[in-house]
Amino acid sequence: DIQMTQSPSSLSASVGDRVTITCRASQSISRYLNWYQQKPGKAPKLLIYAASIFQRGVPSRFSGSGSGTDFTLIISDLQPEDSASYYCQQSYSTPITFGPGTKVDIK
Amino acid sequence: EVQLVESGGGLVQPGRSLRLSCVASGFTFADYAMHWVRQAPGKGLEWVSGISWNSGDIAYGDSVKGRFTISRDNAKKSLFLQMNSLRVEDTAVYYCTKLRIAALTDAFDIWGQGTVVTVSS
């Protein structure tokens, strides 16, 4: 099985800050990496798929990059509504696996 | 409006069974793979099972293999999860999710609101 790790597990940042979340796969997954945002009590929402492609309607302050084993999600201008947990997910092979999540709080 | 609505959750004793359902609307259900993802209280996301557009390709997570069965009825735009031999650790919110494509693995672009399964004596 492909193991996914994320760092940091949580962070606190100010409005307007640039936030970086990293995700690492235990083996190469090419660009089969997707990012989700989840707010408390809500279903996850797809932000980025195939490592760097925006899902329709996602604000441009979100961006993704990476390939192979190392990936990054950047929020370039943090907004209050970005307070949430963020998960990476590999879709290279089954079993599909998610990272443990990164909780983003607004200072 | 594209929508997935789950049902069938509830409180069940360990060892018993439960069947979850998910009804889709607003898109051509038969064109896409469908999956179940769960989230235990206060925990992260865990993939449970997936089924390709024509049911020709099915996969399960290790923790549910042999106990859960996924199926779909394209005519009724419905996805199902038969859960047998339930364990306390199966307690979670179960989400029905749509894949972006027809094949078995990709990103999940539409999610239901979730249905709560509680396994307890």
Side-chain angles (χ1 to χ4, degrees):
Chain A
D1 299 1
I2 299 173
Q3 309 303 318
M4 306 300 294
T5 58
Q6 283 182 238
S7 62
S9 56
S10 65
L11 66 90
S12 183
S14 300
V15 172
D17 281 354
R18 176 185 172 97
V19 168
T20 300
I21 300 170
T22 62
C23 176
R24 178 165 289 174
S26 60
Q27 65 183 73
S28 178
I29 57 171
S30 185
R31 296 178 62 81
Y32 292 94
L33 190 283
N34 313 300
W35 290 98
Y36 301 85
Q37 176 193 66
Q38 186 181 33
K39 298 184 178 180
K42 300 294 187 182
K45 171 187 172 184
L46 177 64
L47 295 176
I48 288 171
Y49 62 94
S52 62
I53 303 176
F54 293 103
Q55 175 67 353
R56 201 176 312 148
V58 172
S60 58
R61 63 181 179 274
F62 291 91
S63 64
S65 64
S67 66
T69 60
D70 295 316
F71 302 87
T72 300
L73 174 70
I74 292 176
I75 310 173
S76 60
D77 176 21
L78 192 68
Q79 296 299 302
E81 60 267 31
D82 300 334
S83 178
S85 292
Y86 293 84
Y87 296 91
C88 61
Q89 171 239 333
Q90 65 83 14
S91 52
Y92 181 80
S93 65
T94 59
I96 291 169
T97 45
F98 290 88
T102 295
K103 187 175 181 182
V104 174
D105 288 327
I106 308 297
K107 282 181 184 175
Chain B
E1 180 190 6
V2 176
Q3 197 172 12
L4 297 170
V5 178
E6 303 97 333
S7 61
L11 173 63
V12 62
Q13 293 178 326
R16 304 298 291 267
S17 298
L18 211 56
R19 179 176 167 89
L20 304 184
S21 299
C22 170
V23 177
S25 59
F27 65 97
T28 305
F29 181 77
D31 284 351
Y32 299 95
M34 297 294 296
H35 290 245
W36 291 96
V37 173
R38 69 184 182 184
Q39 187 169 34
K43 302 297 184 182
L45 301 169
E46 180 188 12
W47 175 74
V48 173
S49 180
I51 185 168
S52 63
W53 68 280
N54 64 352
S55 304
D57 202 2
I58 289 175
Y60 298 95
D62 292 342
S63 62
V64 306
K65 203 173 295 183
R67 300 188 299 124
F68 289 11
T69 302
I70 193 171
S71 62
R72 65 189 294 163
D73 184 335
N74 287 344
K76 295 183 178 179
K77 300 181 181 181
S78 295
L79 176 72
F80 305 101
L81 186 68
Q82 178 66 42
M83 305 186 295
N84 298 333
S85 303
L86 281 162
R87 304 168 180 168
V88 170
E89 54 265 34
D90 294 320
T91 295
V93 176
Y94 284 74
Y95 293 103
C96 169
T97 72
K98 168 189 168 293
L99 214 65
R100 280 194 330 113
I101 59 175
L104 194 59
T105 62
D106 199 80
F108 305 116
D109 63 349
I110 303 296
W111 296 66
Q113 83 287 351
T115 187
V116 178
V117 172
T118 303
V119 184
S120 174
S121 54

